[in-house]
Amino acid sequence: MLNFIKNRITNYYKKASIQYIISISFTIVAVVGMIVVGGTLYLRFFNSTEEMVSKNNETIIEQVNINLDSYLRNMMKISDTIYYRAIKKADMAIENIDMEMDLIYEANKDNLISITLFSEYGEIIASYPLEQLKSNIDPRENEWFQNAKNRKENLHFSTPHVQNLFYDPNYKYTWVVSLSRAVEINKNGKMSSGVLLVDMNFSGIEQICKNVEMSKNGYVYLIDRDGEIIYHPRQQLIYSNLVKENNYEAAKYEDGNHMEDFQGNKRLVTVKTVGYTGWKLVAISPISDITADYHEFRVFAIFIMFFAIFVLISINMFVSSKIANPIKALENAVNDFEDGVVNLNIPENGSYEVQHLAKAIKSMVNQMNLLMENVMKEQEAKRKSELNALQAQINPHFLYNTLDSIIWMIENENYDGAIIMVTSLARFFRISLSKGKNVITVRDELEHARNYLTIQSIRYKNKFTYNIDAEEDTLSLTSIKLIIQPLIENAIYHGMEYMSGDGDILVKSYRNEDDLYIDIIDNGLGMPEEVLDKLLTSKITNQNRRGSGIGLRNVHERIKLYFGEKYGLEIYSEPDEGTTIRIHMPCIEFNSIREEK
């Protein structure tokens, strides 16, 4: 189906005029561009608004946290004052602390419900203003009492609950948050443990969280470390199961902003942990509040986009009509040229660029055939020049060093060694010259390598051994001249020179189906991977003054130039493991090709 639609569109465009194509194409580009720009601006506006709301929520919840922290600190100061200035200084066997409790309560009565000191057995030692426990109440069974006894070094805040310890003469059911701590009580010099309880009026916490200005449907609620709700603006509805809140999941959130999907509504949730208590402030902002004012912006943006598209379409139609007609005439002339017409009648009208193009086409037609012929000749000449230049780079240092070695042998009356070196040198240069041929047999190329190895093994006083292993059916195949010797030279100078007589070089030729391989293997120092990656790719600016002057990359390029891109050199090496350089060429019988001159 897709191919059918694609073919229909392609055929339609083939039959359409250039004016129509230019108009439609520019219009499509304009429409897509406007949609992309408009969409980008819209998303940017949306993200900016969301980011602004996130920062605003963080600011609000930080302020609430400061107020709540101040409130809790004040309660902690009350607890510290009673403990350190009254309880610790008094001998409870003969003294009481009623006056101190009265003073502290009166100074903070808007935030306090009661202050009570219990013995470790749950008995009241001192209490103000409520003093009489209910008959069926055992303080030791309450969580705040157990927390204080079990973790003596800390202050403990309970979740909100109705004050149910004391008889209240006013019969009020007051919601409180209990602050409890373990204390030491002195009785006649003997220390015993007890629990100090400060019941805070929950309305203070409620007012701090309630007086927060959020978005239209936004709100702040407070939970403990386990996710239990301490304050919520819809607390009664939640307790009645008429409304649900995601408070247990919010308890798992880290401080900061989070996106959540709760009951099908996306919400921005901002969390802040309250110090000392482990409570968490949670600010909720429905995404619908954030996007409530987007409708007007969206309508305005769409109007601007349609207006810009209309203007662009009008401009495209006008410009395309001015361009299309001269180009159409030029197209007809090009069609004639494609049909083989030599003397073209190319109209020179339209804009300056079209006129210039018409003149250029005329000049191109007159010169094309000549240029093509010249290019073919130049490329062939260049290719041959590169081959000849690459294989002609023989370093004279090898010749000088070899002649010096021959002279030294003669002076030391080592005539047999001198004869071997002279003979090998003569054979070496005879094959190197090869009557100007660029290709020789594998047999001759291996013989050339053997002569070179003979000379070098004598020069280096048998620091290495060598062996040439060639399959019989490879000897009559075709090889480029002077490709093995540079690789052996590289193995000697970079692999054998620093060894102490344990060097070994193996040259082996073999075939695999239609491919010829010649491996030069040494057990030298090897190379790391980063060096291998550069050997055949890095540009050579200075030839190796101790090598042949041809180098690995030159051999690689010569093989590619002559046989194609799929052939060339492959290098395998590891530090301290040696190096293998593999020559890859096609299997071509030497007698089946015409020798290059």
Side-chain angles (χ1 to χ4, degrees), residues 368-385:
M368 182 170 288
N369 291 331
L370 179 61
L371 289 175
M372 290 297 293
E373 184 178 352
N374 290 339
V375 167
M376 293 289 288
K377 291 179 179 179
E378 288 175 3
Q379 289 297 321
E380 184 66 21
K382 180 181 178 182
R383 181 172 174 273
K384 291 182 178 179
S385 296

Side-chain angles (χ1 to χ4, degrees), residues 246-514:
N246 201 25
N247 47 297
Y248 293 107
E249 286 297 319
K252 301 175 184 178
Y253 292 159
E254 298 289 338
D255 286 7
N257 293 301
H258 307 271
M259 293 295 299
E260 70 174 17
D261 193 342
F262 180 63
Q263 295 184 333
N265 298 317
K266 288 189 175 181
R267 314 192 303 179
L268 175 64
V269 181
T270 306
V271 178
K272 178 69 176 179
T273 302
V274 181
Y276 309 107
T277 64
W279 297 350
K280 287 191 175 183
L281 283 165
V282 184
I284 302 296
S285 292
I287 296 299
S288 58
D289 286 1
I290 300 175
T291 60
D293 298 328
Y294 283 10
H295 177 71
E296 293 181 4
F297 177 81
R298 189 184 302 114
V299 172
F300 177 76
I302 292 174
F303 172 78
I304 294 296
M305 287 172 58
F306 274 105
F307 179 77
I309 290 170
F310 172 78
V311 172
L312 288 172
I313 290 175
S314 301
I315 295 174
N316 289 340
M317 294 296 293
F318 175 78
V319 172
S320 63
S321 64
K322 291 294 184 180
I323 296 174
N325 293 333
I327 293 178
K328 185 66 177 179
L330 189 60
E331 181 193 23
N332 293 332
V334 172
N335 289 335
D336 292 338
F337 172 70
E338 291 177 347
D339 292 335
V341 177
V342 178
N343 298 319
L344 292 177
N345 182 19
I346 300 177
E348 299 180 10
N349 51 22
S351 64
Y352 170 79
E353 290 80 3
V354 177
Q355 295 179 31
H356 184 73
L357 181 60
K359 293 177 182 178
I361 291 175
K362 283 184 179 180
S363 176
M364 177 191 68
V365 171
N366 294 330
Q367 298 182 22
M368 182 170 288
N369 291 331
L370 179 61
L371 289 175
M372 290 297 293
E373 184 178 352
N374 290 339
V375 167
M376 293 289 288
K377 291 179 179 179
E378 288 175 3
Q379 289 297 321
E380 184 66 21
K382 180 181 178 182
R383 181 172 174 273
K384 291 182 178 179
S385 296
E386 288 177 346
L387 283 171
N388 293 333
L390 289 172
Q391 77 175 34
Q393 300 173 25
I394 300 176
N395 195 327
H397 288 282
F398 168 73
L399 178 59
Y400 300 154
N401 293 335
T402 303
L403 292 175
D404 285 341
S405 296
I406 293 171
I407 294 171
W408 178 82
M409 288 180 180
I410 293 172
E411 289 175 348
N412 287 276
E413 298 182 357
N414 185 2
Y415 301 115
D416 293 336
I419 292 172
I420 292 173
M421 287 195 72
V422 170
T423 303
S424 298
L425 183 63
R427 292 175 179 173
F428 175 86
F429 278 99
R430 183 170 64 251
I431 297 176
S432 297
L433 297 175
S434 299
K435 300 179 180 179
K437 300 173 185 176
N438 288 324
V439 294
I440 59 177
T441 63
V442 173
R443 177 183 284 105
D444 289 340
E445 182 64 11
L446 291 175
E447 181 63 22
H448 182 263
R450 190 189 307 278
N451 292 325
Y452 178 78
L453 284 167
T454 300
I455 295 170
Q456 292 291 55
S457 66
I458 296 174
R459 281 189 57 212
Y460 281 85
K461 296 181 178 59
N462 299 317
K463 289 181 67 174
F464 64 90
T465 60
Y466 65 90
N467 187 32
I468 298 178
D469 180 15
E471 294 182 358
E472 188 64 26
D473 57 350
T474 64
L475 297 178
S476 61
L477 298 178
T478 300
S479 171
I480 301 177
K481 183 173 63 178
L482 297 180
I483 59 172
I484 299 178
Q485 177 268 327
L487 308 184
I488 296 175
E489 186 177 29
N490 185 75
I492 293 173
Y493 289 144
H494 301 290
M496 302 290 104
E497 187 172 15
Y498 300 103
M499 299 183 70
S500 59
D502 296 325
D504 184 39
I505 296 176
L506 173 63
V507 180
K508 55 185 294 188
S509 67
Y510 55 97
R511 63 184 297 169
N512 184 5
E513 296 182 355
D514 295 331

Side-chain angles (χ1 to χ4, degrees), residues 20-32:
Y20 183 81
I21 293 175
I22 292 175
S23 300
I24 292 297
S25 300
F26 277 40
T27 300
I28 291 174
V29 171
V31 170
V32 172

